[in-house]
Amino acid sequence: MKLTRQIILLCIPCAMASCGSKKALVQDSPVTTTASTEMTNTLAARKLAFVQKVSDQKVYAKNIVADLSFNAKMGDKSITVPGALRMRRDEVIRLQLFIPILGSEVGRIEFTPDYVLVIDRMHKQYIKGDYNQLSFLKDNGLNFYSLQSLFWNQLLLPGASKVGEADLQKFDVTLDAAGGELPVVLKNGNMSYMWKADKNNGRISEAEVSYNNGPRNKSDLVWKYSDFKALGAKQFPATQEFSFSTTATNKLQTTTVKLKMNDLSTSEDWETQSTVSSRYKQMDAKDIFGQLLNM
């Protein structure tokens, strides 16, 4: 407060000495402020326009169906099998795995808004739990709608089922980033989200979801997209690779899944809910990927 009073006292004689100077100051200040405000508004408008371009790349289809090659790696374990993907917006994401050549289903992974279901047909057992029971999802702050956005190659907003027009201003973007892609970012507490989007067309090539609550409680999800193919009026990434890394177990663990899709379509001729035989044994939901690799 003392410093403020001193500044005011110094300014008074200067103002009294020259009325013309006073008038100039009064006139110049609004011009400077207006120019600064206009620059800020222009930058904000450019950022919002780019985020809008990214958002507009999402596909319109209600259903996405494809045959695929499924590869999963965790430590020194790895499996590669044929499979199928069935997704119906806001209802289910289903991955089916088959025995090579024979074509019989060996396993199924199903995400719904309420639960995650893994069926191991080889050993007649299954895992079913909500999203808080599954560490690889919980550690990355993911629920069904977050996963749906990642599978569908679009922006996500934590806790929301979709990203509306009014939500786009919540995202930030570095417009002067080097290279052919711009980072679109979102912060939410200990969670941070970043999408790499093509500078020209807004297409997302990579998404990163990070949780950081100290060196022993960190997790990262990196989701890469490539091989875009036409699906209706939009382009959909036929190859997707996602990696989970976490230090929550006091050592770094990484799991990587790669999906290479063929014969993309929007077929709706399939059921959305899977049933589990009463002869199957329910297993612990914690080690979902370990169980998957043991199929």
Side-chain angles (χ1 to χ4, degrees), residues 71-128:
N71 175 264
K73 297 178 181 178
M74 187 172 68
D76 58 355
K77 294 183 178 180
S78 176
I79 62 167
T80 300
V81 294
L85 176 68
R86 301 283 186 274
M87 298 195 295
R88 182 163 294 165
R89 190 184 294 277
D90 297 334
E91 294 186 46
V92 67
I93 301 166
R94 178 186 300 148
L95 281 167
Q96 295 170 265
L97 310 180
F98 304 118
I99 298 175
I101 302 176
L102 296 178
S104 302
E105 186 178 87
V106 63
R108 179 177 294 205
I109 309 169
E110 192 165 278
F111 301 96
T112 77
D114 300 317
Y115 61 83
V116 180
L117 174 66
V118 179
I119 303 175
D120 177 359
R121 300 201 186 280
M122 291 290 289
H123 302 97
K124 291 183 169 52
Q125 56 193 24
Y126 71 98
I127 296 169
K128 186 175 184 179

Side-chain angles (χ1 to χ4, degrees), residues 221-226 239-243 256-259:
L221 167 63
V222 178
W223 205 296
K224 298 180 179 181
Y225 308 94
S226 59
T239 297
Q240 301 187 17
E241 180 177 305
F242 43 97
S243 299
T256 300
V257 174
K258 187 172 186 177
L259 310 176

Side-chain angles (χ1 to χ4, degrees), residues 10-187:
L10 286 171
C11 289
I12 290 174
C14 295
M16 294 176 65
S18 175
C19 182
S21 298
K22 179 181 178 182
K23 289 181 180 179
L25 288 171
V26 171
Q27 292 172 354
D28 290 347
S29 180
V31 172
T32 303
T33 303
T34 301
S36 176
T37 302
E38 287 178 352
M39 288 179 63
T40 301
N41 290 341
T42 301
L43 179 60
R46 289 173 58 208
K47 289 184 175 183
L48 182 58
F50 184 76
V51 176
Q52 177 70 66
K53 181 185 290 187
V54 174
S55 179
D56 287 345
Q57 300 308 307
K58 60 180 179 288
V59 299
Y60 301 134
K62 174 71 174 179
N63 297 276
I64 298 179
V65 174
D67 295 328
L68 56 82
S69 171
F70 176 96
N71 175 264
K73 297 178 181 178
M74 187 172 68
D76 58 355
K77 294 183 178 180
S78 176
I79 62 167
T80 300
V81 294
L85 176 68
R86 301 283 186 274
M87 298 195 295
R88 182 163 294 165
R89 190 184 294 277
D90 297 334
E91 294 186 46
V92 67
I93 301 166
R94 178 186 300 148
L95 281 167
Q96 295 170 265
L97 310 180
F98 304 118
I99 298 175
I101 302 176
L102 296 178
S104 302
E105 186 178 87
V106 63
R108 179 177 294 205
I109 309 169
E110 192 165 278
F111 301 96
T112 77
D114 300 317
Y115 61 83
V116 180
L117 174 66
V118 179
I119 303 175
D120 177 359
R121 300 201 186 280
M122 291 290 289
H123 302 97
K124 291 183 169 52
Q125 56 193 24
Y126 71 98
I127 296 169
K128 186 175 184 179
D130 63 37
Y131 290 83
N132 289 324
Q133 291 178 272
L134 303 173
S135 59
F136 79 99
L137 294 176
K138 181 181 177 182
D139 292 344
N140 286 281
L142 299 175
N143 60 16
F144 171 78
Y145 297 105
S146 302
L147 282 172
Q148 177 172 261
S149 296
L150 290 165
F151 270 102
W152 289 61
N153 185 231
Q154 60 191 51
L155 299 174
L156 68 88
L157 193 62
S161 60
K162 63 180 181 179
V163 178
E165 291 292 325
D167 297 318
L168 297 179
Q169 60 187 339
K170 298 176 182 178
F171 299 83
D172 195 12
V173 56
T174 304
L175 294 174
D176 59 354
E181 296 180 318
L182 300 181
V184 178
V185 298
L186 178 71
K187 289 285 293 182

